Amino acid sequence: MRFGQIPRRAAFVLFSMLLIGCALPTPSVKTAPSLAATSPVLTTAEPVPPNHSPGLDGSSNTIAFAARVGAPVVQPDGTVLFNNDIFTVGVDGSNLRRLTSSGGGKASYSWSPDGQHLVFRWDPTGTDWNRSDIAIVTVADLAVATLAHEAWSPAWSPIGDWIAYYSAAAEDYGLYLIRPDGSDNHQILAGDAEYPTWSPDGNRLAFMSLGFPAGTSSADYEIYVVDIDGGNLQRLTNLTGEDGWPAWSHDGRRIAYQRMVSDEAKSEIHVMGADGQDDILITDPNDDLEEYTPSWSPNDRYVAYYAYPQMDSSTAAGGVFVMRPDGSGRLLIRSDGYEPAWQPAP
């Protein structure tokens, strides 16, 4: 069931992309070339048509994403080593920049409110997500500092004073808060509480879980919300299927998330009210793409996400997409990336 606490389908997709580098056939959509493994400043992308370019209406123009770097290496014992790194790019395809080069796997990143730092999940070995760390990279000088061990899914608070994360330590697993300097680390909720996202006032966290109380489990992930002191726990979703990777809008009114109604169905992006009501599907159920990890633009006018073809034989173009929260205006930004995270507006 688990791959570093990643739901079944998402685990397979993430591992597949790390192995093949998202080199997908693109018969009908112009996309950026794949990332070169040896260049610190990598390739440029096909620009988005200016009259349709999201972000040029007052939102931030920069999105962080991850992409595989170099070829996977198979060890004599069969272990597969892979490296991926975090990059930033403008939504028009310009200003591509590499933020990390420290080896291993990176995922689940979150911006500081000033856009000057990025906290992320890091598996230094490239082989064991279950023992990953969380670390911070500084955009100005690309310095990387480890913040916590056996942890993942960090989320920087909108005020900047806390980073929420999930601790995988066997004896004390649960939802934690830690200061960006590593101090005042403490648990706020015991049990399965993964991939948190902050309410814009910094008072609540939404997250995905297999159930409460601690130690119980269910067949499917659901989305919950809780106060940052661990009180007022509420469940937002209650349908068959896996619901996860919530992203709270900056106006506080909506939560975007990914939903998979069954193992046979593909993952889609939904938007619901912050109270769990008025749920709508915003991706195309007929496009032959699995859609994952939504991220709101700073002005909430767009949602970024990544997609991957359901089948190896598919000719659908995957990568990082941007669209409006009603599902219109979908644009492919990068064909070689995944897990977008929109940089805060300056």
Side-chain angles (χ1 to χ4, degrees):
M1 175 67 181
R2 303 284 183 102
F3 174 80
Q5 303 299 104
I6 298 175
R8 290 160 288 193
R9 183 75 61 79
F12 174 77
V13 169
L14 176 60
F15 187 68
S16 298
M17 287 188 298
L18 289 169
L19 289 180
I20 68 173
C22 299
L24 305 173
T26 55
S28 60
V29 181
K30 284 189 175 181
T31 61
S34 295
L35 295 171
T38 58
S39 175
V41 180
L42 301 174
T43 57
T44 57
E46 287 288 338
V48 176
N51 61 323
H52 295 296
S53 181
L56 302 181
D57 55 3
S59 180
S60 168
N61 291 324
T62 301
I63 290 175
F65 67 96
R68 182 183 60 75
V69 177
V73 177
V74 181
Q75 302 289 83
D77 64 358
T79 302
V80 179
L81 303 179
F82 59 82
N83 291 307
N84 73 318
D85 276 308
I86 302 170
F87 301 81
T88 58
V89 71
V91 293
D92 61 355
S94 64
N95 300 320
L96 183 66
R97 187 182 182 208
R98 183 172 177 174
L99 296 188
T100 62
S101 57
S102 46
K106 292 94 178 171
S108 307
Y109 21 91
S110 175
W111 289 96
S112 61
D114 61 7
Q116 299 306 303
H117 308 273
L118 200 70
V119 63
F120 61 97
R121 180 180 182 180
W122 181 21
D123 168 22
T125 67
T127 61
D128 188 0
W129 284 105
N130 286 309
R131 296 193 177 277
S132 59
D133 301 329
I134 56 174
I136 295 175
V137 59
T138 301
V139 173
D141 60 7
L142 307 186
V144 175
T146 301
L147 190 64
H149 301 289
E150 291 191 81
W152 55 76
S153 60
W156 216 306
S157 75
I159 301 171
D161 53 347
W162 292 108
I163 292 172
Y165 72 96
Y166 176 77
S167 172
E171 65 279 8
D172 291 310
Y173 71 101
L175 186 60
Y176 282 70
L177 295 182
I178 189 172
R179 300 290 185 185
D181 64 2
S183 65
D184 201 7
N185 187 31
H186 65 281
Q187 184 187 82
I188 65 169
L189 195 64
D192 185 56
E194 308 165 44
Y195 297 91
T197 179
W198 289 85
S199 64
D201 61 9
N203 292 327
R204 306 206 79 196
L205 288 159
F207 60 91
M208 59 188 286
S209 175
L210 282 172
F212 284 94
T216 65
S217 183
S218 68
D220 300 317
Y221 281 88
E222 302 290 352
I223 295 174
Y224 295 75
V225 292
V226 68
D227 293 346
I228 60 169
D229 63 1
N232 196 22
L233 178 68
Q234 297 175 321
R235 181 172 170 174
L236 294 188
T237 60
N238 192 22
L239 297 172
T240 300
E242 292 188 339
D243 303 321
W245 278 273
W248 215 313
S249 65
H250 300 86
D251 63 10
R253 297 167 50 199
R254 295 166 291 179
I255 294 176
Y257 69 101
Q258 66 184 57
R259 171 164 171 71
M260 187 171 67
V261 297
S262 71
D263 284 347
E264 290 72 37
K266 70 190 189 78
S267 180
E268 304 283 0
I269 305 297
H270 286 241
V271 172
M272 63 180 171
D275 59 0
Q277 304 301 306
D278 303 318
D279 184 274
I280 60 171
L281 168 67
I282 66 170
T283 48
D284 183 357
N286 301 310
D287 65 3
D288 196 29
L289 292 171
E290 304 268 6
E291 282 105 354
Y292 296 95
T293 60
S295 173
W296 292 91
S297 67
N299 60 9
D300 293 330
R301 295 183 183 178
Y302 302 95
V303 174
Y305 65 98
Y306 81 92
Y308 192 76
Q310 282 185 283
M311 303 174 61
D312 292 341
S313 60
S314 173
T315 59
V320 174
F321 288 85
V322 170
M323 67 180 176
R324 298 182 184 91
D326 63 1
S328 64
R330 187 175 78 165
L331 295 167
L332 179 60
I333 303 301
R334 297 290 305 188
S335 63
D336 52 7
Y338 50 93
E339 285 200 281
W342 218 302
Q343 187 178 30

